[in-house]
Amino acid sequence: TEYAEFLHCKGRKFTDFDEVRQEIEVETDRITGVNKGISSIPINLRIYSPHVLSLTLIDLPGITKVPVGDQPPDIEQQIRDMIMQFISRENCLILAVTPANTDLANSDALKLAKEVDPQGLRTIGVITKLDLMDEGTDAREILENKLLPLRRGYIGVVNRSQKDIDGKKDIKAALLAERKFFLSHPAYRHMADRMGTPYLQKVLNQQLTNHIRDTLPAFRSKLQSQLLSIEHEVEVYKNFRPEDPTRKTKALLQMVQQFSVDFEKRIEGSGDQVDTLELSGGAKINRIFHERFPFELVKMEFNEKELRREISYAIKNIHGIRQVLPCLFTPDMAFEAIVKKQIVKLKGPCLKSVDLVMQELINTVKKCTKKLATYPRLCEETERIVAGYIREREEKTKDQVLLLIDIQVSYINTNHEDFIGFANAQQRSSQVNKSAVGNQVIRKGWLTINNIGIMKGGSKEYWFVLTAESLSWYKDDE
């Protein structure tokens, strides 16, 4: 006896296939609504019959370009994603159905199949509506696999028309009509034995059997390796006592130790998971010290005009009521007042750098605690304790930085070799005269020059060398 079963109503056997059609429509409306909505949840139908072959078919919707009824605006993308979800699987065959009365090059089915199966190893072409083609045209070249070749070829079918379906035309009668069409058509007569729905059934059954045979060894070995790993895991847990307090303590210590190792690796830069998208951990801190901090210092460059005015006021204020003579030397007190004011400006960039490093350390802690996410309280407590300790260190670091700046402010060392004072100026002058430095290189590097008369040919890169006596440019750094 022929009967059908649905997964959503187990135990009920349908023997009337009109009821099967009706149940499919009812279930579709129940899941998607009555106004052409869509859903990716499949309706599972199993048919038992001596007249059908063993096949599992997944009937996917065609691509809808324009939403109708209750369909969402992104209906095309939703259907595309649903189709991709099924056809991307390596162990399935793709049945790419295309109507014969449209251009094969515009076939959505073949286009999608090509994306996931570029070699055409899993794709079988099916051409429908051969009886609806314009007079004088045929799909012979396509069916002979000449126009757009597929490894598994094309099969032509003629299904019932909507009129036949509405008139409840028998399937057997439809198959006879299809057979008659291929045998009587001059373009398809020579390949009639390789056309039609019964031949498609046999081919699909054979292809699927072969495909299963091909994929089975790899599938078997994958299962065996999974089985071995699970058996090994079972051995490990055979004597496992979850309530044993020593086990819990050991697990806790291991996780804390792992957190410590991860944190150290991220700061030292020898981690097992290297971020390729952005700087993080030790590399970010390194950048803060060597790029961000110098940049912040450069940003606070003084305004020379403003500084000269400050120096003028400082000198006048130091003299007080006394007359300010055109001095040969800047008074020490005025010099110190101005210099101290400049040194104090370093506090801003220094404290900002501490904040940036602090933030990166906190971020690193958060990344390291992700591995403890299975235990939310442990994760939260670890983060809280370590972050709290880092914040304590932050306060001490800031105090230390401010102390270092205060030390510099408290004593201005004019004997330091970097200080450009009168004595050092004399000393350096004599050294320069003795050594006769000559044409010393001041700066060199690449520069792009745009449309200057001396540079023929528009915008170009040149290697520039600026020396004490000249400026030269070359085609390369040699």
PDB file of all heavy atoms in Angstrom, residues 25 108 133 191 193 244 348 388:
ATOM      1  N   GLU A  25      -0.412  22.591   2.316  1.00  0.00           N
ATOM      2  CA  GLU A  25      -0.901  23.977   2.246  1.00  0.00           C
ATOM      3  C   GLU A  25      -1.271  24.499   3.635  1.00  0.00           C
ATOM      4  O   GLU A  25      -0.943  25.626   4.005  1.00  0.00           O
ATOM      5  CB  GLU A  25      -2.111  24.050   1.307  1.00  0.00           C
ATOM      6  CG  GLU A  25      -1.720  23.926  -0.167  1.00  0.00           C
ATOM      7  CD  GLU A  25      -2.926  23.866  -1.092  1.00  0.00           C
ATOM      8  OE1 GLU A  25      -4.041  24.199  -0.646  1.00  0.00           O
ATOM      9  OE2 GLU A  25      -2.741  23.477  -2.266  1.00  0.00           O
ATOM     10  N   ASP A 108      18.941  31.593 -12.105  1.00  0.00           N
ATOM     11  CA  ASP A 108      19.333  31.788 -10.692  1.00  0.00           C
ATOM     12  C   ASP A 108      19.851  30.490 -10.096  1.00  0.00           C
ATOM     13  O   ASP A 108      20.804  30.478  -9.322  1.00  0.00           O
ATOM     14  CB  ASP A 108      18.125  32.263  -9.868  1.00  0.00           C
ATOM     15  CG  ASP A 108      17.763  33.716 -10.168  1.00  0.00           C
ATOM     16  OD1 ASP A 108      18.692  34.498 -10.407  1.00  0.00           O
ATOM     17  OD2 ASP A 108      16.570  34.052 -10.168  1.00  0.00           O
ATOM     18  N   MET A 133       8.318  26.354 -25.414  1.00  0.00           N
ATOM     19  CA  MET A 133       9.295  27.166 -26.152  1.00  0.00           C
ATOM     20  C   MET A 133       8.667  27.710 -27.433  1.00  0.00           C
ATOM     21  O   MET A 133       7.754  27.108 -28.015  1.00  0.00           O
ATOM     22  CB  MET A 133      10.537  26.339 -26.489  1.00  0.00           C
ATOM     23  CG  MET A 133      11.344  25.953 -25.271  1.00  0.00           C
ATOM     24  SD  MET A 133      12.857  25.109 -25.702  1.00  0.00           S
ATOM     25  CE  MET A 133      13.895  26.475 -26.214  1.00  0.00           C
ATOM     26  N   MET A 191      17.307  11.496 -28.453  1.00  0.00           N
ATOM     27  CA  MET A 191      17.738  11.290 -27.055  1.00  0.00           C
ATOM     28  C   MET A 191      16.531  11.093 -26.132  1.00  0.00           C
ATOM     29  O   MET A 191      16.607  11.362 -24.933  1.00  0.00           O
ATOM     30  CB  MET A 191      18.595  12.473 -26.581  1.00  0.00           C
ATOM     31  CG  MET A 191      18.021  13.842 -26.864  1.00  0.00           C
ATOM     32  SD  MET A 191      19.101  15.132 -26.222  1.00  0.00           S
ATOM     33  CE  MET A 191      18.509  16.549 -27.131  1.00  0.00           C
ATOM     34  N   ASP A 193      15.298   8.487 -24.918  1.00  0.00           N
ATOM     35  CA  ASP A 193      15.534   7.514 -23.834  1.00  0.00           C
ATOM     36  C   ASP A 193      16.292   8.127 -22.663  1.00  0.00           C
ATOM     37  O   ASP A 193      16.379   7.534 -21.593  1.00  0.00           O
ATOM     38  CB  ASP A 193      16.296   6.294 -24.378  1.00  0.00           C
ATOM     39  CG  ASP A 193      17.638   6.692 -24.988  1.00  0.00           C
ATOM     40  OD1 ASP A 193      17.702   7.798 -25.570  1.00  0.00           O
ATOM     41  OD2 ASP A 193      18.609   5.915 -24.867  1.00  0.00           O
ATOM     42  N   ASP A 244      34.009  15.917  44.562  1.00  0.00           N
ATOM     43  CA  ASP A 244      35.298  15.840  45.261  1.00  0.00           C
ATOM     44  C   ASP A 244      35.873  17.251  45.413  1.00  0.00           C
ATOM     45  O   ASP A 244      36.182  17.915  44.414  1.00  0.00           O
ATOM     46  CB  ASP A 244      36.249  14.956  44.443  1.00  0.00           C
ATOM     47  CG  ASP A 244      37.571  14.718  45.183  1.00  0.00           C
ATOM     48  OD1 ASP A 244      37.742  15.313  46.268  1.00  0.00           O
ATOM     49  OD2 ASP A 244      38.420  13.967  44.668  1.00  0.00           O
ATOM     50  N   GLY A 348      50.640  66.935  32.017  1.00  0.00           N
ATOM     51  CA  GLY A 348      49.462  66.510  31.228  1.00  0.00           C
ATOM     52  C   GLY A 348      49.733  65.283  30.380  1.00  0.00           C
ATOM     53  O   GLY A 348      49.085  64.237  30.563  1.00  0.00           O
ATOM     54  N   GLY A 388      41.116  45.994  40.271  1.00  0.00           N
ATOM     55  CA  GLY A 388      41.302  46.795  41.496  1.00  0.00           C
ATOM     56  C   GLY A 388      42.780  46.972  41.820  1.00  0.00           C
ATOM     57  O   GLY A 388      43.222  48.073  42.176  1.00  0.00           O
TER      58      GLY A 388
END
